[in-house]
Amino acid sequence: MTYVVTVDTQIPEGAPEMDPLQRAGAVSLLEHGFASVEAIEGPDGLEVALLDSIVAVYPGGALLKVFVEAPSLELAEDAVGSVVVELLDRSELLSEWTVDRCQVELHPESVKESLDASGGPDTPPDDPAARRDRHAQPVRGAGGEPWTEVDQVAESEAMRVSLGSMAEELRAFDPEMFGAVDEKGQGDAEADFAFGVCADDARLAAGALVHGIHLLVDEIFQDLQTLTQYRTTVAESERPFWVLEGLPGRYALQYSASFARRLLVTAIAMTTRFTHGTFQQLSCVAEELLLKLLLEQARSTLDLYRLLDAGTSSALESFADQVYEDMDHEWLYDDAADGIDEEPTLASLGVAPMDIKSWFTPFNAGRYVHPYACDRSDDAEKGVEAGE
């Protein structure tokens, strides 16, 4: 079975962030390292085939997507983890980097596919949800102690610290965007009245969005891999999808691999503006939909770690209220509004076109949409699909 293993690597703690030249060098070292590996030998002579890899380097490290053919999920993770550690150790420039995460993120309905390949005393539980939790949770002690209330509180507090540190990466938005006030009680008066968010809650919400960015990009990668491998669309496939199932269902027949690639590029372009500090406004309908999914992801993360309360909820609501110019895209989810995307009178009311062919079209000349996603004709779409 083909697995997509996500690996987060980071520069040494306390080291200065990489400049553009250093990032280019890191990309070259990692890509050349993966190119030199064809297969990985696991326990009992089992072989893991390395199919492809994607390297995305940022100032503080790198996000790797490694595609492998492996007998089981556990073997895929172990093999990729060992290879990445070896590649880092080989290079003097990367030898002190750390691997913070190495895991396959499976949809619960997909997890069962690797069960038959596993055996022995460490065989994962049969229930998909329990199996998913096993991979998501930290390793327990050797005595197999149960997950206690104290453990949950500790995990929640650890996540609070982690999200707080991630918040600094959301450089395009001040705490006021989350309805927060400074220590002197100053801030956006309208937002303060509506949301009344403290600085800590604003920081948690911002960190949850950054965490959600990683998950969103990861999951679109996985949806793209599924569509490419099975040459299908979301509507025609019985397989589960992480992100694409969250888009308006009426267009599911048009959610193809080509569409997923455009969505992935758009997600990266939008979130890069969030973290680089260059964001001004959402550029197209696709970005509006992606932000909706990102906000849902952030809310789910806070809820999972028991950090979702009135304060963090209000912070996310404040952020959405100030970033969205309108909520017209919500009509695409309303079955009663089916066909409204083709209504010609909407333009006279100042409503942007919302049919799927317009999702990647900039709202106006001042908005940025990545050239790969923008202005692709139907003929070009069909040509790309035929070549897959």
Side-chain angles (χ1 to χ4, degrees):
M1 180 175 177
T2 299
Y3 295 97
V4 185
V5 185
T6 299
V7 184
D8 279 339
T9 65
Q10 293 192 1
I11 60 178
E13 186 175 355
E17 292 188 341
M18 294 183 288
D19 59 33
L21 184 58
Q22 290 172 320
R23 295 200 295 270
V27 169
S28 178
L29 289 170
L30 290 168
E31 288 182 343
H32 279 87
F34 280 119
S36 67
V37 179
E38 293 183 0
I40 312 159
E41 185 173 342
D44 302 323
L46 296 175
E47 187 175 272
V48 175
L50 180 60
L51 305 178
D52 196 6
S53 62
I54 298 174
V55 178
V57 173
Y58 58 96
L63 178 66
L64 315 175
K65 309 292 290 189
V66 186
F67 300 80
V68 295
E69 190 78 29
S72 69
L73 179 151
E74 291 76 16
L75 185 56
E77 291 179 335
D78 290 344
V80 170
S82 65
V83 164
V84 171
V85 170
E86 182 179 347
L87 292 180
L88 295 178
D89 287 342
R90 278 188 206 169
S91 170
E92 182 179 349
L93 296 176
L94 307 179
S95 60
E96 295 185 6
W97 283 31
T98 59
V99 176
D100 293 348
R101 177 171 62 122
C102 179
Q103 68 180 57
V104 175
E105 295 177 345
L106 288 178
H107 193 290
E109 294 179 23
S110 297
V111 179
K112 278 187 174 295
E113 295 191 17
S114 65
L115 284 174
D116 294 337
S118 301
D122 294 325
T123 300
D126 290 338
D127 177 61
R131 181 179 171 93
R132 181 73 172 83
D133 289 342
R134 168 176 169 165
H135 293 296
Q137 300 292 354
V139 178
R140 300 290 150 239
E145 296 86 355
W147 182 251
T148 67
E149 179 70 18
V150 174
D151 294 326
Q152 292 177 352
V153 171
E155 183 191 45
S156 177
E157 289 307 306
M159 192 60 173
R160 179 187 297 274
V161 173
S162 178
L163 293 181
S165 64
M166 289 183 184
E168 298 177 4
E169 298 180 37
L170 206 66
R171 296 181 177 89
F173 307 106
D174 295 328
E176 287 77 11
M177 286 292 292
F178 294 89
V181 295
D182 60 25
E183 295 180 354
K184 298 179 180 179
Q186 297 176 338
D188 186 300
E190 182 178 349
D192 295 342
F193 177 79
F195 299 100
V197 175
C198 71
D200 286 343
D201 287 336
R203 196 159 37 246
L204 280 177
L209 282 172
V210 175
H211 185 268
I213 287 171
H214 292 287
L215 294 177
L216 181 70
V217 173
D218 281 353
E219 292 170 358
I220 299 177
F221 265 119
Q222 293 181 56
D223 285 353
L224 173 58
Q225 171 71 6
T226 298
L227 291 171
T228 302
Q229 180 176 352
Y230 295 96
R231 298 172 179 267
T232 186
T233 66
V234 170
E236 297 168 320
S237 175
E238 296 182 357
R239 305 186 67 82
F241 293 90
W242 285 97
V243 172
L244 298 181
E245 287 181 351
L247 294 176
R250 69 182 68 170
Y251 295 112
L253 192 61
Q254 299 182 62
Y255 299 154
S256 61
S258 176
F259 172 87
R261 281 193 290 269
R262 298 174 71 188
L263 190 71
L264 175 61
V265 168
T266 302
I268 293 173
M270 179 185 78
T271 56
T272 296
R273 304 201 314 276
F274 284 4
T275 56
H276 188 262
T278 56
F279 177 82
Q280 293 182 328
Q281 294 173 302
L282 296 173
S283 295
C284 58
V285 174
E287 287 196 353
E288 292 182 331
L289 297 173
L290 284 166
L291 180 57
K292 172 184 172 69
L293 299 176
L294 180 58
L295 287 163
E296 291 174 355
Q297 186 67 262
R299 181 176 290 273
S300 295
T301 295
L302 292 169
D303 189 33
L304 177 64
Y305 291 94
R306 302 195 297 182
L307 297 171
L308 184 65
D309 54 23
T312 51
S313 292
S314 293
L316 290 176
E317 290 172 14
S318 173
F319 178 81
D321 186 65
Q322 297 186 73
V323 174
Y324 278 121
E325 297 173 67
D326 58 57
M327 301 302 292
D328 294 344
H329 61 277
E330 291 287 357
W331 292 343
L332 296 173
Y333 291 91
D334 186 357
D335 291 337
D338 192 6
I340 194 170
D341 51 340
E342 300 175 359
E343 178 57 54
T345 59
L346 290 180
S348 62
L349 301 176
V351 177
M354 289 188 294
D355 61 283
I356 191 169
K357 294 180 180 179
S358 302
W359 283 8
F360 301 96
T361 301
F363 289 137
N364 56 50
R367 313 291 176 104
Y368 175 81
V369 175
H370 194 283
Y372 181 89
C374 189
D375 295 331
R376 300 188 68 194
S377 67
D378 291 341
D379 289 340
E381 288 272 327
K382 294 174 182 178
V384 170
E385 296 295 339
E388 293 174 347

